[in-house]
Structures are given as C-alpha cells and as structure tokens.
Amino acid sequence: MILAAAMNPEAFSGVEDSIVRLRKGDPDALAAIISRYQHRLYRYLLRLVHDPAVADDLFQQTWLRVMEKIGHYDARRSFEGWLFAVAHNLAVDSWRVKGSESLDEPTGFGRPGEERLASGQPDALERLLDFERGAILAACMHELPVFHREVLTLRFEEDMKLEEIAEVVEIPLSTVKSRLRRALEGLRSAMAARNKERNGA
C-alpha cells in the first residue's frame, strides 16, 4: 500500500525539491510528498465519501493520478491546491459512476463521524464532553450536502484560503463564499436542532 511505503519522517522536509524530482521522472520522490500530505488528503476524502474503503481507494487513485499528470502540473500554482483538485475530481467521477450520493442532496444521519485526536491531557470529564461535542459536530456535518461539507473541510480543517478552495473545486470565488455562508448556516441549524433534541424541547 502506498500509505505504508511513505512513513519516513524525513519526507516532511524538501517537498518542493521532491516535486521537482518527481516531475523529472524520479518515482522515489513520491514517498516524501505522500508523507507530507497523506493524513490531510485522506481526511478530506473521508469527509466527502463517509466510507473508509472508498476513501482509501480514492486516496490510492489520487497518488496514481499525480504520478500520471505531474508533467502537466504548473509550478506557479500551489501544489497543495492542485493535489486536492485531483482528489476532488476523482471523488466526483466516483459519484457519477456509482450514482450514489448526490452533490446537492443532504445525507441522512448515518455514521457520526471520524474520531478526533485529543490535544493535551484534560481530565476525564473534559475529554468526554469534548468528544461528545465533536461527535455532535461531525454528525451535523454528515447531514449537510456534500458540496457544503467540502468547503467547510477545506476552509476550517485544511486552513485553505477562499481563493485556493475556488481552485480546488473549480468554481468562482463568489460561489465559494455563498457555499461557505450557507454551509455555516446549515451547520448552526443542525446543531441547534440536535441541542433541542438533547434537552427534550
């Protein structure tokens, strides 16, 4: 598996150099690039498809496509944006082929979301409350349409600028802004509804 082959901690440095080497046809350069982006890319795909097996398959396909298309990569452009755009396009192709989840329709309740990594060592009650809040937030995100989940993930988990998101998703900046606004409104509404349910209102 590509993921297992790239667990070299040294690979986090010199990514630009590795991209240059990969463009020159050096396949060994790929390991450093994968190590730099693997966790973020997989998380992004998992947010979109909500199925670890499908996310893993798309993850593999993304890196294969990167190797195929690296010669067409424009070095003046952000590599990160280009990489996520490749993953985005593969996910869209996957939905079209399988005819599964629509890009426009909200999903059901389904799985509550991915486990969150704890930061620091809060006491047991704080960890429990933090996990519960995280699970509620993940469940509410799961109910949003895919294109809303995507902009939220890219903006707040991947910390991308709005212009970068527009490049990844290949939509105008104004559309990114409106999607993000609607996504946040939808998330607030879903959270409010969940809180009402929990409080028995």
Side-chain angles (χ1 to χ4, degrees):
M1 180 180 171
I2 293 175
L3 183 66
M7 298 304 287
N8 178 5
E10 297 296 318
F12 273 82
S13 60
V15 173
E16 291 84 3
D17 178 58
S18 298
I19 293 168
V20 171
R21 285 169 43 219
L22 187 62
R23 292 186 76 192
K24 290 179 178 176
D26 180 0
D28 293 334
L30 186 65
I33 301 170
I34 291 176
S35 284
R36 177 68 180 87
Y37 294 105
Q38 63 184 347
H39 300 298
R40 293 174 55 201
L41 182 65
Y42 182 77
R43 177 178 62 191
Y44 166 68
L45 289 166
L46 193 57
R47 287 281 191 221
L48 293 187
V49 299
H50 289 295
D51 184 329
V54 175
D56 191 55
D57 186 50
L58 288 169
F59 179 87
Q60 305 289 338
Q61 288 181 47
T62 298
W63 292 113
L64 291 172
R65 186 66 56 87
V66 164
M67 287 189 289
E68 288 171 13
K69 303 290 186 183
I70 192 67
H72 301 289
Y73 163 64
D74 182 354
R76 293 170 297 181
R77 195 179 160 192
S78 157
F79 177 78
E80 179 178 296
W82 181 75
L83 172 65
F84 277 79
V86 169
H88 165 85
N89 291 333
L90 286 168
V92 169
D93 289 346
S94 171
W95 287 318
R96 285 182 183 144
V97 169
K98 293 178 181 173
S100 53
E101 185 178 354
S102 165
L103 289 174
D104 300 314
E105 293 177 8
T107 59
F109 283 87
R111 287 181 289 279
E114 300 76 38
E115 289 183 10
R116 301 165 69 245
L117 295 174
S119 59
Q121 292 297 324
D123 66 38
L125 179 58
E126 285 177 357
R127 287 199 307 270
L128 179 62
L129 291 172
D130 190 47
F131 176 80
E132 186 178 348
R133 283 190 294 266
I136 291 169
L137 182 62
C140 290
M141 271 191 73
H142 187 81
E143 295 172 32
L144 298 176
V146 175
F147 62 90
H148 285 170
R149 287 200 311 263
E150 182 172 37
V151 294
L152 286 173
T153 297
L154 291 173
R155 179 67 189 95
F156 297 108
E157 291 186 314
E158 302 310 325
D159 201 26
M160 286 190 182
K161 294 177 181 173
L162 299 183
E163 294 81 3
E164 292 174 308
I165 297 171
E167 277 193 37
V168 169
V169 188
E170 298 177 339
I171 56 175
L173 181 60
S174 58
T175 306
V176 172
K177 290 177 180 177
S178 64
R179 282 189 185 181
L180 188 58
R181 187 178 64 254
R182 288 182 184 137
L184 288 169
E185 287 169 359
L187 194 57
R188 276 194 290 267
S189 297
M191 291 285 286
R194 288 286 177 120
N195 285 332
K196 276 188 179 179
E197 284 176 18
R198 291 175 67 222
N199 296 331

